[in-house]
Amino acid sequence: MRIGIVAGEASGDLLAAELIRAMRARVPDVQFEGIAGPRMAQAGCRALAPAERLAVMGLFEVLGRYRELRALRARVARHFMENPPDVFIGVDAPDFNLGLERVLRQAGIPTVHYVSPTVWAWRQYRIKKIARSADLMLTLFPFETEFYARHKKHPVNVRFVGHPLADGIAPEEREDERCRLRADLGFAADAQVIALLPGSRAGELKRLARPFMETALWCIKQRPGLQFVAPMANSVARELFEQARLAIAPPITAAAAGGAGAGCNARGGCGIGGFRHRDAGGAVDKTADGGGVSSGGAYRLSAQAFFIKDAVFFTAQPACRTCAGAGVQSEPGDGGESRFSTAEMSGRYAIC
């Protein structure tokens, strides 16, 4: 069996690598190839291009690389149409993957999309595109499956598969693992540790590393003795973060934990997790929740996006289960939906 797969950025790389290992446990001779990150490559996926090529965010960042991304998608589509896999799996990255899946599906290649876009929260019109693009949608949460079942106009074949982070450390083993990880990083078992997680993309780090280090400096002035850990996705991210640390807070040392990712947040103490107003930082928040660890979030728009923020409006579903459970109310608009400006959305949507 041969499977085509595309994942973007660190979180998609992690999910895809877990999927590859699970598939190989069932079908040992299965082959994977596509746009892959380092974890996918380690799991045995042949990379046609690095996943970092898809690690862009924000309107202007995407526009600046639009031609490159469009050419990459066309090249990958051409490769799979000339060498058809048994199935294609797009992992998250819906803006890139759904279009690719539609082309491949039209060519007769079965397509699967792993990780549902947050259509239950906003931009529900994407359901029509999903129905045209994916033969099967694999969701992380059970309420997503129920959401698709209610939208019969554009039926989507959905299966709930759960979140890999739910298969992490058992509650009874969590404290031992936390102590082990702290010892590996040079922390005392009773140390108060904050995980700094400003993101994996270069654009995120350029905007967030400085305010994160300023926050760390403020925290240590309020509570001397605090210690910090800063897991980074790759060497480029580490270099950008270190530049900010040396410029803003050279007295502060942040233990390097490359590759540890969100796990440091759940096992190392409490965390500050950087996320954008959509779904970045989701792995951080889910891991923190599972580990009983406090976390907070921050985001800074690009200068161009900030300039136009009040002129751009998004449509949000008022009955998001997560928001409803947290007591967030929305004002109904046309068609039972709600309209928020970017600034309003960034505040309200952080809960999702």
Side-chain angles (χ1 to χ4, degrees):
M1 177 183 287
R2 181 168 156 270
I3 297 176
I5 190 166
V6 168
E9 62 197 49
S11 59
D13 181 32
L14 177 62
L15 288 169
E18 293 289 343
L19 175 63
I20 291 171
R21 292 189 185 95
M23 287 288 294
R24 288 199 152 181
R26 291 172 176 260
V27 187
D29 62 345
V30 64
Q31 297 179 348
F32 288 86
E33 66 173 356
I35 298 180
R39 291 184 178 89
M40 295 169 67
Q42 290 174 4
C45 180
R46 185 172 79 90
L48 302 176
E52 290 79 6
R53 296 275 295 275
L54 305 186
V56 294
M57 62 178 294
L59 174 63
F60 290 95
E61 291 87 343
V62 173
L63 287 177
R65 294 182 54 193
Y66 175 74
R67 290 186 178 181
E68 175 193 347
L69 293 171
R70 186 172 180 177
L72 176 61
R73 184 162 66 180
R75 180 165 68 86
V76 172
R78 186 166 55 251
H79 171 82
F80 285 129
M81 286 190 290
E82 292 174 354
N83 306 276
D86 293 291
V87 64
F88 173 83
I89 304 174
V91 182
D92 207 357
D95 292 329
F96 185 93
N97 274 327
L98 288 176
L100 177 59
E101 290 162 20
R102 184 180 180 185
V103 171
L104 297 179
R105 190 183 188 193
Q106 290 174 342
I109 299 171
T111 58
V112 176
H113 192 87
Y114 180 30
V115 184
S116 172
T118 52
V119 287
W120 40 268
W122 72 320
R123 291 177 18 181
Q124 288 189 17
Y125 60 82
R126 290 179 292 174
I127 295 177
K128 183 177 180 180
K129 184 176 184 179
I130 292 170
R132 292 197 307 257
S133 303
D135 289 296
L136 176 64
M137 171 67 72
L138 302 178
T139 68
L140 301 182
F141 305 106
F143 74 83
E144 294 175 312
T145 304
E146 298 167 8
F147 173 84
Y148 281 107
R150 294 196 301 269
H151 290 75
K152 303 183 184 302
K153 184 177 180 181
H154 303 292
V156 178
N157 186 21
V158 183
R159 294 291 184 277
F160 163 61
V161 296
H163 201 295
L165 293 177
D167 297 325
I169 300 169
E172 61 272 15
E173 301 173 357
R174 192 172 294 145
E175 188 58 34
D176 290 342
E177 174 65 11
R178 183 174 298 184
C179 291
R180 184 198 65 76
L181 182 58
R182 284 175 174 235
D184 289 346
L185 295 172
F187 298 136
D190 60 350
Q192 290 185 312
V193 182
I194 293 181
L196 300 173
L197 300 154
S200 58
R201 307 178 187 91
E204 284 177 325
L205 281 157
K206 289 175 181 177
R207 288 194 293 273
L208 292 175
R210 183 182 183 93
F212 268 53
M213 289 312 304
E214 289 172 345
T215 301
L217 194 60
W218 181 88
C219 286
I220 207 167
K221 287 179 179 177
Q222 308 305 311
R223 188 174 296 183
L226 281 176
Q227 294 179 286
F228 298 88
V229 59
M232 295 292 146
N234 50 54
S235 59
V236 174
R238 169 61 56 189
E239 182 179 354
L240 289 171
F241 182 81
E242 281 299 303
Q243 289 174 1
R245 185 187 69 81
L246 292 173
I248 304 301
I252 294 180
T253 58
C264 288
N265 193 34
R267 303 165 193 165
C270 61
I272 298 176
F275 58 86
R276 62 188 183 276
H277 61 77
R278 292 184 60 192
D279 53 356
V284 172
D285 293 336
K286 294 176 186 70
T287 310
D289 290 343
V293 174
S294 302
S295 64
Y299 182 71
R300 172 173 285 177
L301 297 171
S302 66
Q304 299 94 330
F306 183 83
F307 179 76
I308 67 168
K309 70 182 188 305
D310 291 327
V312 178
F313 284 79
F314 295 94
T315 300
Q317 173 69 15
C320 163
R321 288 195 176 192
T322 308
C323 289
V328 174
Q329 301 298 320
S330 57
E331 301 168 1
D334 296 337
E337 295 181 328
S338 301
R339 291 193 176 274
F340 305 120
S341 70
T342 307
E344 292 169 324
M345 198 66 180
S346 64
R348 300 189 188 210
Y349 197 80
I351 294 174
C352 295

